[in-house]
Amino acid sequence: MGTDMTTATTISTSARTEILRRISVANGGTSDAAAAGAAWEHLAREYRRKAVLQPESVLDLLEDRLRDYDAHVERVRRGDVADVVAKMLATRGKRRMVIPAGIAPEWLPAGFEFVADEGMTAIELDGFDGVMTGSTVAIAETGTVVLQNVPGQGRRAVTLVPDYHLCLVSAADVVETVPEAMEGLRGKAELATTFFSGPSATADIEMTRIKGVHGPRHLDVILIL
Amino acid sequence: MSGVALDPKTAPVFPMAARTALADTQMRKNVRHATDVIQAKRARVVAEMPDWQQLREAGKQIRQHTMEHLDFYLEQFEENCTRAGGVVHWARDAEEARKIVTALVKASGSDEVIKIKSMTTEEIHLNDALEAAGIHAYETDLAELIIQLGEDQPSHIVVPALHKNRQQIREIFQRKMNLPELGETPQDLADAARMFLREKFLRIKTGVSGANFLIAETGGVCIVESEGNGRMCLTLPETLITIAGIDKVVPRFQDLEVLLQLLPRSATGERMNPYNSIWTGVKPGDGPQTFHVVLMDNARTDILADKEGRQTLNCIRCGACQNACPVYRQTGGQAYGSVYAGPIGAILTPQLQQMHHAQSLPFASSLCGACYEVCPVKINIPEVLIHLRAKVVNQNTAGITGLFDFEAAAMTAMAMIFKSERRFRAAQRLGRMAETPLVRKDGQGVGWISWLPGMLGGWTQVRDLQEMPKETFRDWWERRGKNGN
Ligand code: SF4
């Protein structure tokens, strides 16, 4: 095992020097932070960076795009979240849900089993009916929800292994465009981050869209107004 | 494991391979169907974007800028990835990359790995090397699984099994997964794959991936996918080994706002990929606790050194040029003898081989310009093709003075033409006039050219070339836009 790592390291050290040398020869000199930074500031960015729609239309767009991706969406007033969660779980026939630490307790209806993840194994996670989480931001134009490893959203494995995902999105966190979402994520870019647009899907067989190959096969989204 | 890996060193030259491919009508039907579907979806979601051209320009500038400062950005990536708990390795060529990855898998203590679809690992024939070292690699992307179990070869960079239809896939799964009763709906087939792979995802402790983007500013890695197999491989194993060409780096996190719009729409006609994952080094309690990145050159610095060819490195591997290419649509991917097929393969593969192999590929194009129109980062593929043709001619004629000067000069002139859009249009019009003496009308009154002078004849050895359309693709596209239909 030790020798294997040594092999990798020995090759790498001389390769690094050589590759960097080849690049500077190809580019007619080496680059540095100041040169790269100054040039980067001047790149053309004439694409849309800001929302043009009214907030209400942004929500409509998100809902439309999520539906297009086979997600089920419900809009809910803040006080009614737990009731709607209960309704959705009942409709789907889900009883035993895993939740990340830090999820708002008032979102959890009685009559279901909610188990907080404390570093469960993948096999343990596989035993649940589904997972319920909050979210960081949602992008209307693309029908995308973004999760990060923060309280209420948790580890990546938790939203990956169970077959069903119920995701809560706050209307205040919905943006229209991709650039707005990236702007909001920038300060937290180093957190483990997952974007999802609908449930898992493939079109590898005759270009027919099939839902749910490996991730959750069903996605419900509750939009909290 | 694939049957015989696609390798430009041993593959038959394109004109010969294309002859065989053209005879496979089932394959051609499958390819045509798949590329039609993707192209229609792509056109629809691109038309939705009022700022598509501005995004393309930004994408082009970001990629160009990255290449101009590549050494700085690679070192910055290394520093930030290392700080976040990753281990960065460097590999000059495919052999070094294979040695490093094999050593790292062994060090992880596993003799099995789960793999995400990665053209880079295909490029270096990693699976063969792992197998030789006693390590079995399971492909987990549905298409890659179909190819692996079918002992086949990929034919498209985004949808590698698009040359297979559902009956063919069913037959492979029945045989290799031992499921004689398996149904033939796409859903049945996807369910079978889910069952087959889930056990591996939950059990195997080492993952191998490629990367779509390496973020210099944060040391983060980004992978886009749709099935969730990527998330499984990135999240569940204890050790993750990511291998990426040095061209995969992007300067800043913010740059993803451009690339994450261009890539999914161009690649599969999705507004966004079903899943994008971004992770930075190691996060205690979340995902693999040992993380390696192998940065591989493998001739990319040679491409960088070539003034005309270097724009090839801007490619974000969306495959849009393949879907748009009339030659690819006729022959399918495998005729290119390389894991990179279609127009991008025709320019990338010979350059990755330092022009020693795959010399016929720059001729595998009708230069219609459709690839350039769809490329999300505006790579002028026809320009590079012409440049490479000139190189091939020069290489082959070094020492035989004078004999091939005419072609070399013609290619240089063509290269000039492709540099300017105005000249390119003029040349297309000229081309329609110049070809007139070569056209023979067939029974239906359609003109065919069965012979072209000099090097251009390579393509017509295989099949008759339909005469150039009366209207260029560009002219047609613009007229179509104006008429609103
Ligand atoms: S050359 Fe352009 S169109 Fe072709 S795969 Fe690369 S980025 Fe996509």
Side-chain angles (χ1 to χ4, degrees), chain B residues 398-420:
Chain B
I400 321 171
T401 35
L403 212 58
F404 287 84
D405 282 358
F406 170 73
E407 272 98 354
M411 288 307 158
T412 315
M414 287 287 268
M416 293 289 296
I417 288 167
F418 276 91
K419 284 221 182 80
S420 133

Side-chain angles (χ1 to χ4, degrees), chain B residues 374-387:
Chain B
V374 295
C375 178
V377 291
K378 293 193 180 175
I379 298 173
N380 191 332
I381 297 176
E383 179 182 296
V384 181
L385 282 169
I386 298 294
H387 165 66

Side-chain angles (χ1 to χ4, degrees), chain B residues 19 43 92 186 220 241 265 287 332 400 472:
Chain B
R19 196 189 288 273
R92 265 164 291 211
I241 302 158
R265 287 182 202 259
I400 321 171
T472 64

Side-chain angles (χ1 to χ4, degrees), chain B residues 157-158 263 266-267 311-312 314-322 341-345 347 370-381:
Chain B
I157 62 175
V158 175
L263 180 57
S266 303
Q311 58 177 312
T312 312
N314 298 350
C315 174
I316 56 171
R317 309 280 191 268
C318 72
C321 56
Q322 287 189 275
I344 180 59
I347 60 172
C371 49
Y372 182 25
E373 304 271 347
V374 295
C375 178
V377 291
K378 293 193 180 175
I379 298 173
N380 191 332
I381 297 176

Side-chain angles (χ1 to χ4, degrees), chain A residues 16 31 45 47 126 200 206, chain B residues 69 78 198 227 255 257:
Chain A
R16 181 182 190 280
S31 175
R45 292 186 190 272
Y47 50 88
D126 200 29
S200 151
E206 295 187 6
Chain B
H69 302 274
E78 179 184 45
R198 185 148 276 234
E227 292 170 16
D255 295 317
E257 75 186 18

Side-chain angles (χ1 to χ4, degrees), chain B residues 342-354:
Chain B
I344 180 59
I347 60 172
L348 183 58
T349 302
Q351 297 186 86
L352 288 178
Q353 302 289 327
Q354 278 110 341

